[in-house]
């Protein structure tokens, strides 16, 4: 939903865009297949992944109104530093700081730097690490080490963003960035973490508007293959 001043700007430049903003895009947020909170998480992930800062303050406000907690927003930004790059995360920090200030959100409401981590699934991580190490360990040992030590034994175990939501952020960022090759692993992980197939399908529908039809249509064959191969 665009605010009145933004709608005036849109109307004066692209009247057709205003029609779609007040029609399909407004209706999108009311679709029952994905909760408003999840839609905000998907939208923030897409904006941060694509470094589209102009809409971030409004969507940070909307996310808070949709019950995304400040510490969860903090963790979304932190998580996407690794999945969309450090500069994109810092741009999101710049966009969020004034929103947090207006809302009186202090550091005490944010995720701590070094929380007590969630329990690691040792068997699953050992399998993942072995496969990645076998493929790439000899060629690029540094990235293999950081992937294990920083991402899967630290970042993914931070407790202030639920594993299901962390996966939703990751999949949304991958789709929004066009990183199709990474989708199968993370979409399977998302569904293992509790994201349902209808929710995943609706997230893709939502992303068509916020990341563009080409990115979503590039992801559709990969997502369908994941859905088809999942146990029924």
């Amino acid at each position: 939903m665009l605010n009145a001043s933004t709608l005036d700007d849109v109307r004066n430049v692209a009247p057709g865009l205003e029609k779609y903003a007040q029609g399909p895009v407004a209706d999108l947020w009311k679709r029952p297949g994905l909760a408003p909170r999840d839609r905000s998480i998907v939208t923030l992930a897409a904006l941060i992944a694509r470094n589209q800062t102009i809409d971030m303050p409004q969507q940070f406000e909307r996310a808070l109104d949709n019950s995304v907690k400040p510490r969860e927003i903090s963790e979304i930004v932190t998580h996407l530093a690794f999945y969309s790059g450090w500069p994109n995360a810092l741009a999101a920090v710049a966009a969020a700081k004034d929103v947090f200030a207006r809302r009186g959100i202090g550091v005490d409401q944010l995720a701590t730097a070094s929380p007590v981590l969630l329990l690691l699934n040792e068997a699953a991580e050992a399998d993942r690490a072995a496969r990645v190490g076998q493929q790439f360990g000899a060629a690029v040992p540094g990235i293999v080490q950081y992937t294990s030590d920083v991402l899967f034994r630290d970042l993914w175990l931070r407790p202030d963003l639920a594993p299901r939501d962390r996966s939703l952020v990751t999949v949304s960022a991958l789709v929004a960035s066009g990183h199709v090759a990474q989708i199968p692993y993370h979409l399977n992980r998302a569904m293992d973490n509790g994201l349902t197939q209808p929710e995943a399908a609706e997230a893709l529908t939502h992303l068509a508007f916020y990341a563009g039809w080409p990115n979503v249509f590039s992801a559709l064959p990969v997502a369908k293959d994941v859905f088809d191969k999942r146990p029924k």
Side-chain angles (χ1 to χ4, degrees):
M1 186 83 58
L2 299 176
N3 60 40
S5 61
T6 304
L7 277 175
D8 285 341
D9 291 341
V10 172
R11 187 179 302 116
N12 291 329
V13 173
L17 185 60
E18 182 205 4
K19 180 188 80 168
Y20 293 123
Q22 299 207 71
V25 176
D27 293 340
L28 176 72
W29 284 83
K30 302 172 187 174
R31 287 173 58 89
L34 199 64
R37 176 183 175 277
D38 289 340
R39 290 190 186 276
S40 279
I41 288 173
V42 170
T43 305
L44 289 180
L47 293 178
I48 295 169
R50 294 163 64 83
N51 199 22
Q52 294 175 327
T53 56
I54 193 168
D55 201 32
M56 281 186 197
Q58 179 184 348
Q59 293 298 342
F60 281 128
E61 295 274 11
R62 187 173 199 163
L64 291 164
D65 291 341
N66 283 339
S67 300
V68 183
K69 298 173 183 176
R71 67 174 183 270
E72 292 172 328
I73 291 176
S74 169
E75 280 299 294
I76 290 169
V77 173
T78 300
H79 188 83
L80 288 175
F82 293 89
Y83 283 89
S84 298
W86 228 254
N88 286 17
L90 292 177
V93 167
K97 66 181 179 66
D98 292 337
V99 174
F100 281 14
R102 282 195 300 273
R103 295 259 183 156
I105 296 169
V107 175
D108 60 312
Q109 297 181 58
L110 306 181
T112 62
S114 299
V116 176
L117 299 178
L118 301 174
L119 291 176
L120 177 68
N121 184 329
E122 293 283 358
E125 172 53 18
D127 177 68
R128 184 211 61 78
R131 286 186 286 104
V132 173
Q134 185 176 25
Q135 283 182 290
F136 307 117
V140 279
I143 191 65
V144 171
Q145 179 182 351
Y146 282 126
T147 300
S148 289
D149 295 349
V150 180
L151 267 67
F152 288 102
R153 289 183 174 273
D154 192 333
L155 180 71
W156 276 89
L157 302 179
R158 292 175 62 85
D160 289 296
L161 191 64
R164 180 251 190 209
D165 296 341
R166 200 173 285 278
S167 281
L168 181 60
V169 168
T170 307
V171 171
S172 299
L174 293 175
V175 174
S177 303
H179 294 311
V180 175
Q182 299 296 311
I183 291 173
Y185 172 81
H186 282 288
L187 182 54
N188 270 303
R189 186 183 180 105
M191 296 175 76
D192 290 342
N193 283 338
L195 188 72
T196 67
Q197 181 174 324
E199 288 171 335
E202 192 62 25
L204 288 167
T205 302
H206 191 90
L207 284 165
F209 288 88
Y210 284 91
W213 253 250
N215 280 328
V216 169
F217 263 82
S218 293
L220 286 184
V222 179
K224 183 177 182 299
D225 187 60
V226 170
F227 296 159
D228 289 345
K229 291 177 178 176
R230 297 280 300 182
K232 303 301 181 186

